[in-house]
């Protein structure tokens, strides 16, 4: 029943902006956090930004601080990643992940299929 669908990726020139969306359907589970990861060709998947559902605290990887912003729209059950001042090294497949729990169970992570972001020089 859990489904995460990313969108908003595409081709953009260096210095440009993109806004990624992650439409989340996670019931009947409870969401602890939503996180954006990315994976460039030939590299391991890396953390980008996370949003703690309770309290709304956000955390960012050092290489995106001041450029990317993670946010949510509760009415639309959607998490966003606003990406500004994009660099060619930001080129990667961006994945949305939800850390979920259910009474009597430990936290588990559910992944979306990813959306391609390509930044040209």
């Amino acid at each position: 029943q859990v489904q995460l669908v990313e969108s908003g990726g595409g081709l953009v020139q260096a210095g440009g902006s993109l806004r990624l969306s992650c439409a989340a359907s996670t019931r009947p589970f409870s969401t602890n956090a939503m996180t954006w990861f990315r994976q460039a060709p030939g590299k391991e998947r890396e953390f980008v930004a996370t949003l703690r559902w309770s309290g709304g605290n956000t955390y960012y990887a050092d290489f995106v601080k001041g450029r990317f912003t993670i946010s949510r729209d509760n009415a639309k059950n959607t998490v966003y990643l606003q990406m500004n001042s994009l660099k060619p090294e930001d080129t990667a497949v961006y994945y949305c992940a939800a850390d979920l729990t259910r009474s009597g169970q430990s936290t588990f992570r559910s992944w979306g299929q990813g959306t391609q972001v390509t930044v040209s020089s």
Side-chain angles (χ1 to χ4, degrees), residues 39-102:
Q39 187 167 25
K43 298 182 179 180
E44 64 184 15
R45 189 169 296 184
E46 63 183 352
F47 165 79
V48 176
T50 191
L51 187 155
R52 301 278 184 175
W53 218 250
S54 179
N57 294 330
T58 58
Y59 303 90
Y60 299 91
D62 288 340
F63 57 83
V64 302
K65 286 183 178 179
R67 299 192 298 126
F68 292 8
T69 302
I70 187 171
S71 62
R72 64 183 175 185
D73 186 331
N74 291 330
K76 297 181 178 180
N77 297 317
T78 300
V79 175
Y80 303 97
L81 183 68
Q82 178 66 47
M83 306 186 295
N84 299 324
S85 302
L86 284 163
K87 306 174 181 179
E89 51 263 44
D90 293 320
T91 295
V93 176
Y94 284 71
Y95 297 91
C96 178
D99 293 339
L100 308 172
T101 58
R102 195 177 188 181

